[in-house]
Amino acid sequence: MSGKRQKIQRELALEPMDGGEFPLDGHHGAEPLMAVAEPESPASTGQLMEEVCKRGNLKRAWQRVKRNKGGSGMDGMTIDDASDYLREHWPDIRSQLLKGTYQPQPVKRVEIPKPDGGVRKLGVPCVVDRLIQQALLQVIQKRWDRTFSGHSYGFRPGRSAHQAVAQAQRYVAAGYSIVIDLDLEKFFDRVNHDMLMARVAERIADKRVLKLIRAFLEAGVLEDGLINSVDEGMPQGGPLSPLLSNLVLDEFDKELERRGHRFCRYADDCNIYVCSLRAGERVMASLTRFLTKKLRLKVNEAKSAVAQPEERKFLGFSISNDGSERRIAPQALQKFKMQIRELTCRTRGKSLLQIIKELRPYLIGWRGYFGFCQTPRVLTNLEAWIRRRLRMYLWRQWQNGSNRFRELRRRGVPKFQAAVAAGSPTGFWRMSGHPAVQMALRNAYFDSLRLPRLYAPGQA
């Protein structure tokens, strides 16, 4: 995830600060934020920036930025550094925002490995720019969101990936057993700035906000020590990008609705459901032309397909061809096992307790998302596999026959069985499944160390 898989309503919730005061409190220049009266209709009166700069909105934005943590941008400023910086410089920044002269810094390029072997390029804004983007997001999202399609689920309040998958499953169960799986090639890198800003201008009258959004789009990218200008695309990594992506693809949603299609879209991941392979191929060709000519986006033909649901993945899940079951996609299972292998690498030299401590947040987060599957046997098999990985880790750490014999005996294994196991030349993985090792390291032992379970009945 990751990221992609947190609910927006939690992101926008007002929560208590986790220590430290709001950096814009009690300083010269912060008080006028409370003095600005909220206009009746900021979008129509052109006073949207005043609402962005209101103290309450900024406080919520700062809480969100702190909660998100995240790395520093090109200026190297951390969250704590930014707090001190804002106490001193906010009056000037606010003045620039209200005058329409604020200039964002270039984003820092960060490459994140993708499960398929490639890399996803993120653009990390500096902390101050993240604060401003988040404050802007909170003001315009509540105006825009209600105009978006009901078939769009990504990065929207009250909507989630699970809802998208469940709706897709209902389509398949209703007989729409062919899926058109559309993959947009480098979507975030190919968005046309002029087309995007034309759509933004249809919804926002405040020229300062329009100028600020374009400035964020054109701020440039710091990569390999050089700042490169950009004339298309949106940097993934800033708070505004998901909302702007929904705006770009809203026209696509409306076109699908106009044609009467059944579809689910989550960000740039879109599946359309039809009744026959022939219809699917016809729709795929037609939508490819629409995306290319109308939106100037490119469909990745190698990753797109018309197929049965079982053959494709949607947001980490696959759906049985009759719609009766949602499963964890094979690619997601492979990625999970790779991560567990890395965390339980037998040469890491850490205690089992420390290994489980590192496993806990990953397992809990993974369970929170993929526990939505309807295949409990897969989850229980994964639990057993993880415990076996940990048994192998301990067996390796015990190092030699005498030590292994002592550890097995200390855990209640009879003397003869302990001696046979301790003297066995069998490899580590096979020994992790040995009856004596399993007797010594029962499931309850791992439960006592607070190793999370992946299957909880009723969680889906």
Side-chain angles (χ1 to χ4, degrees), residues 351-353 356 387 390-391 394 398 407 410-411 437-451 453:
S351 69
L352 183 64
L353 200 60
I356 291 177
R387 288 190 293 266
L390 295 176
R391 291 186 184 106
L394 271 183
W398 291 346
E407 292 289 349
R410 186 167 68 86
R411 288 169 167 79
V437 177
Q438 293 195 341
M439 184 186 302
L441 303 170
R442 297 178 184 272
N443 295 358
Y445 170 68
F446 294 106
D447 290 338
S448 72
L449 297 180
R450 301 181 63 225
L451 176 69
R453 296 268 186 160

Side-chain angles (χ1 to χ4, degrees), residues 330-348 355 358-359 362-363 382 385-386 388-390 392-393 429:
Q331 300 94 320
L333 288 173
Q334 182 182 9
K335 181 181 178 182
F336 174 80
K337 286 194 169 187
M338 286 176 59
Q339 185 67 22
I340 298 301
R341 287 189 182 99
E342 183 177 333
L343 290 171
T344 59
C345 178
R346 60 179 182 254
T347 59
R348 297 184 71 203
I355 293 295
E358 294 177 9
L359 279 172
Y362 179 74
L363 293 177
L382 287 175
W385 178 78
I386 292 168
R388 187 167 177 180
R389 291 283 309 177
L390 295 176
M392 181 178 70
Y393 187 87
W429 178 247

Side-chain angles (χ1 to χ4, degrees), residues 62 65-66 69-71 77-84 127 130:
W62 178 248
V65 169
K66 285 194 69 174
K69 298 179 181 178
M77 192 181 296
T78 64
I79 296 287
D80 291 337
D81 295 336
S83 181
D84 296 334
V127 178
R130 292 208 295 271

Side-chain angles (χ1 to χ4, degrees), residues 114-230:
K114 295 170 67 174
D116 59 8
V119 295
R120 176 174 286 107
K121 293 186 177 183
L122 302 182
V124 181
C126 68
V127 178
V128 175
D129 285 343
R130 292 208 295 271
L131 169 65
I132 295 170
Q133 284 196 34
Q134 181 66 33
L136 181 56
L137 170 72
Q138 291 166 182
V139 170
I140 62 178
Q141 181 165 48
K142 60 187 179 184
R143 291 171 167 80
W144 294 5
D145 189 75
R146 59 178 175 263
T147 71
F148 290 156
S149 168
H151 300 273
S152 167
Y153 294 88
F155 308 108
R156 297 182 61 190
R159 291 174 171 264
S160 69
H162 286 172
Q163 292 174 347
V165 174
Q167 180 58 63
Q169 185 179 6
R170 286 191 286 270
Y171 287 144
V172 177
Y176 298 90
S177 55
I178 295 296
V179 59
I180 303 151
D181 185 0
L182 275 174
D183 184 274
L184 297 178
E185 186 173 309
K186 297 182 179 179
F187 167 70
F188 282 90
D189 296 333
R190 294 183 181 274
V191 172
N192 182 278
H193 288 176
D194 291 335
M195 292 182 65
L196 170 58
M197 289 308 303
R199 290 178 175 82
V200 174
E202 291 173 356
R203 296 166 179 258
I204 292 177
D206 191 326
K207 293 182 179 179
R208 297 165 300 177
V209 175
L210 295 175
K211 184 177 178 182
L212 179 62
I213 292 175
R214 184 175 279 276
F216 277 124
L217 293 173
E218 299 178 348
V221 176
L222 175 67
E223 190 170 17
D224 298 327
L226 298 174
I227 297 177
N228 300 313
S229 60
V230 292

